[in-house]
Amino acid sequence: MRQFVKPLALAAASTLAVPAALAQSTATVAVIEIEGTPAEQSGGMSWMEADADTIRGLVETFDTLAFDDEFDGVLIKLKDAMLGTTHVEEIGAAIARLRDSGKPVHLFSENYGTGQLLLGSRTDGMIMQQGGGVSLPGMYMEEMYLADMLEWVGVKAQLVQVGDYKGANEMMTRSSPSEAWDESISTLLDGMYANVRETLMDGREMSGAELDEAMRVAWWASGRQAIDVGLIDFEVDLADLSEVLSDQYDVDDVEYVLEPYDAGSVMQADLSNPLSIFSSIFGEAMSREVERDTIAVLHINGTIIDGDSAPAGPLGGGGSVGSRTIRNTINEILAEDLIKGVILRIDSPGGSAIASEVMWQGITRLAEEKPVWVSVGSMAASGGYYVLAAGDRVFVNPSSVVGSIGVVGGKYALGDVMDKLKINVVERSRGPAASLNSMANPWNASEIAMVRDRMRETYDQFTSRVTAGRPGIDLAKTAEGRLFTGSQAIELDMADEIGGIDDAINGLAAELDLNRFDVLDYPAPPSFDEMLGNLLGSFIEAPGIATGAGGGPLASGGSIGEFAGALRGLLGEQRYSAVVDQLNAISLLRDERVLLVAPRAIIVR
């Protein structure tokens, strides 16, 4: 049985007062998934959309569950949820009513930021995906004043306001805030910060001093650190979640029912439309059956990111591979008894440190049940090598690039750019580390030291994963960011054998004594409509920089797309693809402070 991290100080207190009626051996738990930002109202095509995705629908779902005897409790799963404080307050009130009815509520999230922590403080317990991160730096606000820029380009803004504290025109008419607006916005920020602190202190039963210490530690923290300071309760791999909940409900097993009131999940076809019959065909992912002994090829291809994978955009550049996609795929592979072994095919320069750890956790769990061998394509560097370390045997091509065992992190300080554009930035922060998020100002020496300490922790974890997976490796010769060819990697015990993917597959088949077997690639190919969306998506978006699906910052339409086309012509296909992949990876610094990414803009001619 796998072990999960449980807070020793909270072990007794975290066991719920289970309702007296719950005397059976299995608890039935309703699972409510919250993805993105809850809408205020349905988008108008109610036959296609689920009202449960609206804020009102979520509240009604919780209220209905309070009176439904079929369910013993609720698990909330956050999937890239973007929750504002008002969302938390409305959903939190519904959670309180549900808990008052005697039903426990738990929250599971891959990572915890301020919004997730605020929501979790309204529940009976917060559970985090093992390898995730917790961040509670405080509150930070930036205001941009454009009057100087407008004057520079010849625009005179003439806006009139009534009310000294209104401030709506000041961005365009001033270079800095008026005294009245400064007072108003500072008071507002004080109030918002006080609400955050009060919610966390009440929900987590913390004093002000304890919260101060928690924020000092958890401006960026591991699950263990967050548990130690009382911000979350458990860190566990999703596959072991039932163990935690079974313990909390004091039962032998937990049965899950996903969104039981999501009536909108069933789409009614318009039979008067002869084309509607094809929607059910084209809308489904391509399926395949495992009919005999099979070796699965699990692809880690592209920049490693949190969440779901995204394909390459139509203008080129590599796609990205998401930790959630890989974790779900691993569960799919584990469920197939006829899959006898797995080839982990890696072609990645790395990316997110957190996502790399989550993938490592999942592949380690997979390797406990089925043999996992590794085949490296062109690159398994940084986060890609991190994931590689979970495999049993590693094949590389002679020219494969491996290594880059190191950590890079930071941010872009845009103050000088803002000055050149005559944009004046006024910063406000509340909390011990909120100023780390400053867009304009670089970090000072003490802030750099704080970041470096956390990066060192990530580096130590990285190297510990490598030494555990590659017992003979000498980090003095291979770490600190060094890059090697596949041939060199063999000599340094970073890999085991020269060979391509066929060599890896046939070698594993021989090891398993398989004479006749199938080979299936994972994750499954996308559905027809997903492929169509991937092909056309960036051309029907508003002009600008794409930040999600579509391949990264240079894979979009409009003026950016035109620039990308010109850049492609100037650099040539090989250089263009290398530069785009590197920019896509480095662009992750918008959302994360530490990356496991290798320089990919390397051209060998």
Side-chain angles (χ1 to χ4, degrees), residues 4 27 43 54 95 105 136 148 181 209 230 246 267 306 373 388 403 415 425 452 472 477 492 525 528 564-566:
F4 54 84
T54 66
I95 292 173
V105 181
L136 183 65
D148 292 345
W181 175 253
S246 295
M267 186 176 71
D306 295 309
W373 288 18
L388 172 150
V425 178
R452 187 177 297 279
K477 297 179 180 179
L492 294 167
F528 178 83

Side-chain angles (χ1 to χ4, degrees), residues 415-432:
D416 289 346
V417 173
M418 295 298 179
D419 288 343
K420 288 181 172 63
L421 295 176
K422 307 293 184 180
I423 297 174
N424 299 315
V425 178
V426 175
E427 300 179 316
R428 308 171 195 275
S429 62
R430 301 292 187 275

Side-chain angles (χ1 to χ4, degrees), residues 443-458:
W443 290 326
N444 59 36
S446 63
E447 290 170 332
I448 290 175
M450 292 171 61
V451 173
R452 187 177 297 279
D453 286 344
R454 290 294 188 266
M455 290 175 64
R456 172 56 64 176
E457 293 175 8
T458 301

Side-chain angles (χ1 to χ4, degrees), residues 582-604:
Q582 185 66 11
L583 290 176
N584 288 346
I586 294 298
S587 70
L588 294 174
L589 283 174
R590 292 172 302 192
D591 303 311
E592 299 192 34
R593 289 290 170 251
V594 175
L595 302 179
L596 302 180
V597 63
R600 192 161 183 173
I602 300 173
I603 306 297
V604 180

Side-chain angles (χ1 to χ4, degrees), residues 571-580 599-605:
L571 297 178
E573 190 66 33
Q574 186 182 21
R575 290 190 180 94
Y576 176 82
S577 295
V579 170
V580 167
R600 192 161 183 173
I602 300 173
I603 306 297
V604 180
R605 301 183 67 87

